[in-house]
Amino acid sequence: MQTRSNDRGAAAGDAERAAASFPLVERAAPRIDARALALLSIGALFIGGGAGLVVQQASGHPRSLVVLAFAVALGLSGLVVAALRDRTRRRRLEAELATAPRVCIEGTELWLVDGEGFRSLLRLDRPFGATLFSTPERDRLVLALTHRDGVEYLAAQAPSGTRHEALLARTVTTARSELPIAERMPTFDRGDRLLALVEALAARAGDALDRVWLSDAGMCDLVLDGRRLRAGELDFDLTRPLRWRGYTFQEGSALATQSYQATALRQGEREIVLVSLAPAAELATASILGGLDAHRRPGPLGLDAVQRALARDLRLARGLVDLPPPRALRVAIDRLFVPRLRAALDLAPAEEHVAPPRPTPTTLPSEALITPPEGMEQLRSSRP
């Protein structure tokens, strides 16, 4: 008996993992409106009693059975009518709930269901990456699902900050104007629902949160896979010491100059420079950092993990102005993912920079400066 119950539990767990639905708009399941049923039944009961009194007075019968019969009959009729109306209402709401826009995990695919039908967003049986972006105020979330064929975006409103704290700590801070929010992008009205979807995807593929699958301008792969970064034909082991730095530079002509941000990476003989357009807006202001009063802030900004992530992203976004890098080392990437790649590089061990030994100056014998003995006392007593 215990084996059968375990088999049933495993089958139920497999079915739950095989299909899961995440509605974009939060709607409660339709329930029986007991108040409407009671009011309509009582109203019909009083109407039946009144009709019974009228009939009794018109017929001249003194018995009260007529009043009781009319009251019971109309009361039951009112109850039946109210029940039929409530059932029609619940069926209509169930139909609206069944066709409401939602994101579904079914089998090995992630689907978007809306008024236009079904659309496949992602194949779960192939490698993919999941990266969460958010505004500095943490009032808007965007999930980027990266895979070999492109990127899919899902957006959400502000999360509550009371759930999925680990996922909120892994969110990459992005300026509001940099978030890829489009008018027809699937958007959850609750941020916690999007975080629940990310948690379900992470349960399917535990390494998805540590992977970013991009391509450069030449359609060569640029993949961050855990502790490994692959750019074209070059591989960088993020568990070994390396050197990297972020900086900005300008390039163009006297009439038109464009600002860029660069992330130079070197490990041994391998060297690349990730180049993208510079951000069009500031990442955050000092008022967003909570400091000592961070725990008193409402929402996600009140979490210590979120404050640490915000401080990290502010630190990694800084960069001095430098000369443009050689074009042979450049790899063009989307500027949205620059903070995510820098956060991965920041966790790698830093390579120690050994300064070259300073050459010892050599002087010819004729150039040697010899102080006569009688001049030593004068040198000691001299003042600068």
Side-chain angles (χ1 to χ4, degrees), residues 2 33 41 67 69 134 180 195 215 301 310 327 335 369 372 378:
Q2 186 176 1
D33 193 354
S41 301
V67 178
S134 178
L195 295 176
S215 60
L301 285 181
L310 181 58
R327 292 188 178 273
R335 65 182 175 188
L369 183 62
Q378 184 179 1

Side-chain angles (χ1 to χ4, degrees), residues 203-358:
R204 286 294 193 96
D207 54 354
L209 293 174
D210 297 320
R211 184 185 294 117
V212 181
W213 199 304
L214 304 172
S215 60
D216 61 5
M219 299 307 295
C220 295
D221 288 338
L222 177 63
V223 182
L224 173 65
D225 196 351
R227 306 297 289 166
R228 176 169 168 259
L229 177 64
R230 183 173 75 251
E233 299 179 356
L234 299 180
D235 285 344
F236 296 89
D237 187 358
L238 302 187
T239 62
R240 298 174 54 196
L242 54 83
R243 293 173 59 188
W244 79 274
R245 68 185 183 98
Y247 61 95
T248 61
F249 66 93
Q250 290 185 342
E251 204 169 50
S253 62
L255 299 178
T257 303
Q258 184 66 54
S259 297
Y260 298 89
Q261 57 180 339
T263 305
L265 171 62
R266 183 172 184 175
Q267 187 175 55
E269 299 298 326
R270 298 180 297 275
E271 184 178 4
I272 61 171
V273 181
L274 306 177
V275 178
S276 67
L277 292 174
E282 292 292 333
L283 183 60
T285 59
S287 61
I288 297 176
L289 294 175
L292 298 177
D293 297 332
H295 63 281
R296 300 180 182 178
R297 288 175 172 263
L301 285 181
L303 301 176
D304 292 338
V306 173
Q307 285 288 326
R308 288 194 297 269
L310 181 58
R312 174 206 63 195
D313 295 336
L314 288 174
R315 174 175 57 85
L316 297 178
R318 297 176 183 146
L320 299 176
V321 180
D322 205 339
L323 296 175
R327 292 188 178 273
L329 300 178
R330 298 184 188 185
V331 177
I333 64 171
D334 188 346
R335 65 182 175 188
L336 177 67
F337 294 92
V338 170
R340 176 65 182 90
L341 297 179
R342 287 185 177 181
L345 296 176
D346 190 55
L347 296 176
E351 183 181 53
E352 294 184 2
H353 178 67
V354 180
R358 299 180 61 181

Side-chain angles (χ1 to χ4, degrees), residues 176-190:
R176 184 179 299 273
S177 59
E178 299 292 327
L179 283 180
I181 299 177
E183 182 179 355
R184 302 189 63 182
M185 180 184 298
T187 303
F188 292 84
D189 64 344
R190 290 179 54 195

